[in-house]
């Protein structure tokens, strides 16, 4: 830890994403209840979910830029306040229009978190920044494991709204911790402003940028840099769609009851948590390079989605759900952030903004695509979710091909093999 006094800053990050783990699936997991409350069908629920992606899409880039300018604390505080409003509106509104506005607000709120929290994790735990970032996925997995099962259980007892109150309380806790926690970047930014240094706020991340640029031995083509940003779309799409539609796949395609179908999401998040632990150890202790992990993740994602799409029997889908969680959701998205910074060293907030813009695009397009599939299939939900999973299979194949291209050229660009152990000076 950079300093023990920044422990609370790190805790604010992890608790924010523990809450985000619920926000990301709260609408889809309570789909049947919200359909009744808002007077819509399954396609209408996908339409509301898409507003979350749109909110993130239009805000995430600028939030990354703003975070570098004004500091991390205020970003997390604003994000927490917006989460409180979002969950409260879900709890109380009977209008699908208001629900859509709330979902849009949730996307913007997540952008405020993303613009600050990843940088805070790295700045607070400087000895293991990669592990600090990948642990974010770990806490998302915790809520993603238990929340679907809690929803299935509470729905049967008729107390499902209690599980909307829960993240309201969690958001308030994030707000309070963020208000009182000290943040390393904010303190340095304040010192620079007091010293009246021009544009020194950008230089807070320039040490990493200078070090990263020094490692590059041969110019990296724009295609590779742009591809790392576009990978944000692939990572989000292959993770997000499974997160939103595995339960629907279980019920509509496999004929599972709600509890068994919800367990697919829990199996998925258990897989993602297992990956966080394993990849965190491999990165911190064994010196595995980010690209090496992503190559394995993409290859595994292709196999996992093939199992789900092509072999539609419960046991294979359960195995596939675990594998999707492990390979597509077990830190692949966060590793993509680290890869973006490695390929294109520069201000963290800006790189995060670019990368997360493509993520936001995926979280908007994929639910809209599900709605289109639903309408094309004449309301056949089973066919719609099969088509959605098939798209994910195609995206995983594209991602794997791109990572193979990066691996082929990695030694030319950095002077070391992607399979070599990461040195202490890197």
């Amino acid at each position: 830890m950079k300093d023990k006094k920044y422990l609370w800053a790190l805790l604010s990050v992890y608790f924010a994403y523990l809450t985000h783990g619920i926000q990301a699936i709260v609408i889809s997991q309570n789909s049947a209840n919200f359909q009744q409350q808002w007077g819509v069908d399954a396609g209408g629920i996908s339409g509301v979910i898409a507003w979350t992606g749109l909110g993130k899409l239009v805000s995430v880039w600028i939030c990354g830029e703003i975070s570098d300018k004004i500091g991390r604390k205020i970003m997390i505080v604003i994000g927490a306040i917006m989460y409180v409003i979002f969950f409260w509106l879900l709890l109380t509104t009977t209008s699908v229009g208001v629900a859509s506005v709330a979902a849009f607000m949730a996307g913007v709120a997540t952008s405020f978190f993303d613009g600050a929290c990843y940088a805070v994790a790295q700045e607070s735990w400087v000895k293991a920044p990669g592990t600090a970032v990948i642990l974010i996925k770990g806490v998302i997995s915790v809520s993603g494991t238990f929340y679907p099962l809690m929803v299935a259980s509470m729905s049967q007892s008729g107390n499902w709204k209690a599980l909307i109150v829960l993240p309201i309380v969690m958001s308030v806790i994030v707000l309070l911790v963020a208000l009182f926690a000290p943040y390393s970047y904010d303190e340095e930014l304040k010192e620079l402003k007091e010293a009246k240094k021009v544009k020194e706020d950008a230089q807070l991340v320039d040490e990493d940028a200078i070090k990263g640029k020094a490692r590059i031995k041969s110019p990296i083509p724009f295609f590779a840099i742009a591809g790392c940003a576009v990978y944000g779309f692939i990572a989000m799409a292959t993770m997000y769609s499974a997160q939103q539609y595995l339960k629907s796949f279980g019920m509509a395609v496999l004929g599972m009851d709600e509890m068994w179908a919800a367990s697919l999401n829990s199996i998925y998040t258990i897989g993602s948590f297992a990956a966080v632990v394993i990849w965190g150890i491999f990165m911190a202790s064994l010196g595995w390079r980010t690209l090496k992990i992503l190559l394995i993740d993409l290859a595994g994602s292709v196999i996992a989605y093939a199992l789900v799409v092509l072999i539609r029997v419960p046991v294979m889908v359960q195995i596939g759900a675990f594998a999707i969680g492990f390979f597509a959701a077990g830190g692949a998205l966060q590793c993509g952030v680290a890869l973006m910074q490695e390929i294109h060293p520069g201000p963290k907030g800006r790189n995060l903004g670019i990368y997360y813009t493509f993520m936001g695009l995926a979280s908007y397009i994929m639910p809209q695509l599900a709605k289109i599939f639903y309408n094309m299939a004449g309301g056949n939900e089973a066919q719609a979710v099969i088509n959605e999973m098939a798209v994910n299979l195609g995206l995983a194949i594209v991602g794997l091909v791109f990572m193979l291209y990066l691996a082929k050229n990695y030694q030319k660009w950095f002077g070391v093999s992607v399979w070599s152990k990461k040195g202490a000076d890197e």
Side-chain angles (χ1 to χ4, degrees):
M1 195 77 52
K2 185 176 183 179
D3 190 316
K4 287 185 178 180
K5 76 175 185 177
Y6 300 127
L7 174 62
W8 284 103
L10 197 60
L11 289 176
S12 74
V13 169
Y14 293 142
F15 210 83
Y17 280 95
L18 188 69
T19 311
H20 170 66
I22 295 176
Q23 178 274 317
I25 60 175
V26 65
I27 298 175
S28 62
Q29 289 299 310
N30 292 283
S31 176
N33 295 308
F34 284 135
Q35 285 180 48
Q36 184 176 5
Q37 182 171 315
W38 302 333
V40 296
D41 57 15
I45 292 296
S46 289
V48 174
I49 293 171
W51 279 93
T52 304
L54 182 61
K56 188 166 187 176
L57 173 63
V58 301
S59 60
V60 69
W61 191 329
I62 193 170
C63 282
E65 295 283 349
I66 291 173
S67 176
D68 285 339
K69 301 296 182 183
I70 68 173
R72 316 304 189 199
K73 179 190 289 283
I74 191 170
M75 302 291 289
I76 299 174
V77 167
I78 292 172
I81 292 172
M82 294 179 76
Y83 262 24
V84 171
I85 298 171
F86 161 69
F87 288 116
W88 178 254
L89 288 176
L90 289 189
L91 185 68
T92 58
T93 187
T94 57
S95 166
V96 68
V98 174
S100 298
V101 172
F104 181 88
M105 182 181 298
V108 175
T110 302
S111 293
F112 274 86
F113 281 159
D114 290 341
C117 288
Y118 281 83
V120 171
Q122 293 174 312
E123 292 155 1
S124 300
W125 198 351
V126 294
K127 290 185 178 179
T131 301
V133 169
I134 205 170
L135 281 176
I136 290 175
K137 181 58 192 179
V139 297
I140 294 173
S141 297
V142 170
S143 50
T145 299
F146 294 105
Y147 192 74
L149 298 177
M150 293 167 67
V151 168
S153 176
M154 296 294 276
S155 292
Q156 293 175 0
S157 65
N159 296 321
W160 68 276
K161 286 193 173 183
L163 294 180
I164 311 298
V165 175
L166 173 64
I168 294 177
V169 175
M170 294 171 67
S171 299
V172 171
I173 292 173
V174 174
L175 173 62
L176 294 175
V177 173
L179 282 172
F180 293 102
Y183 290 86
S184 168
Y185 183 96
D186 293 35
E187 292 178 349
E188 293 171 2
L189 185 63
K190 182 179 179 180
E191 290 174 2
L192 290 172
K193 286 181 177 179
E194 289 174 351
K196 298 181 180 180
K197 293 184 178 180
V198 180
K199 296 183 180 179
E200 285 286 332
D201 53 299
Q203 293 181 17
L204 290 173
V205 292
D206 276 353
E207 288 184 11
D208 288 339
I210 293 169
K211 188 175 181 180
K213 289 174 182 177
R215 289 186 55 228
I216 298 173
K217 310 301 180 185
S218 177
I220 298 176
F222 177 77
F223 170 77
I225 297 171
C228 286
V230 174
Y231 172 72
F233 180 96
I234 294 173
M236 186 63 175
T238 53
M239 179 193 77
Y240 190 76
S241 293
Q243 190 179 47
Q244 299 296 331
Y245 299 111
L246 270 174
K247 182 178 179 179
S248 297
F249 193 95
M251 295 178 72
V253 179
L254 303 178
M256 293 177 167
D257 63 25
E258 185 176 4
M259 182 63 77
W260 275 105
S263 73
L264 291 177
N265 278 85
S266 296
I267 292 170
Y268 158 90
T269 48
I270 289 169
S272 69
F273 186 77
V276 167
V277 174
I278 292 172
W279 292 152
I281 292 172
F282 285 7
M283 291 175 72
S285 302
L286 302 181
W288 277 35
R289 297 181 184 277
T290 302
L291 181 54
K292 181 178 179 179
I293 292 174
L294 285 172
L295 281 166
I296 297 171
D297 278 342
L298 269 299
S301 295
V302 170
I303 296 171
Y305 272 110
L307 287 176
V308 172
V309 173
L310 302 177
I311 310 175
R312 300 169 203 160
V313 296
V315 66
M316 295 308 296
V317 173
Q318 288 171 330
I319 294 171
F322 180 87
I324 291 171
F326 190 95
F327 294 112
L333 188 151
Q334 288 78 12
C335 284
V337 173
L339 183 65
M340 176 78 178
Q341 187 69 23
E342 183 177 9
I343 296 293
H344 186 240
K348 293 186 184 74
R350 180 171 299 168
N351 277 341
L352 281 168
I354 295 170
Y355 184 86
Y356 273 79
T357 296
F358 284 94
M359 278 181 51
L361 189 63
S363 58
Y364 174 70
I365 287 178
M366 298 308 286
Q368 291 283 39
L369 193 60
K371 185 177 180 179
I372 291 170
F373 285 148
Y374 183 83
N375 293 333
M376 287 175 58
N380 185 337
E381 188 174 1
Q383 189 57 54
V385 293
I386 289 170
N387 291 343
E388 186 87 351
M389 295 299 178
V391 170
N392 285 351
L393 173 59
L395 288 172
I397 292 171
V398 172
L400 177 60
V401 171
F402 176 68
M403 292 302 163
L404 288 170
Y405 161 77
L406 294 185
K408 180 182 178 182
N409 292 278
Y410 193 88
Q411 186 156 7
K412 177 176 70 175
W413 296 334
F414 294 99
V416 293
S417 169
V418 68
W419 305 107
S420 64
K421 183 177 180 180
K422 191 173 182 180
D425 58 337
E426 298 182 54

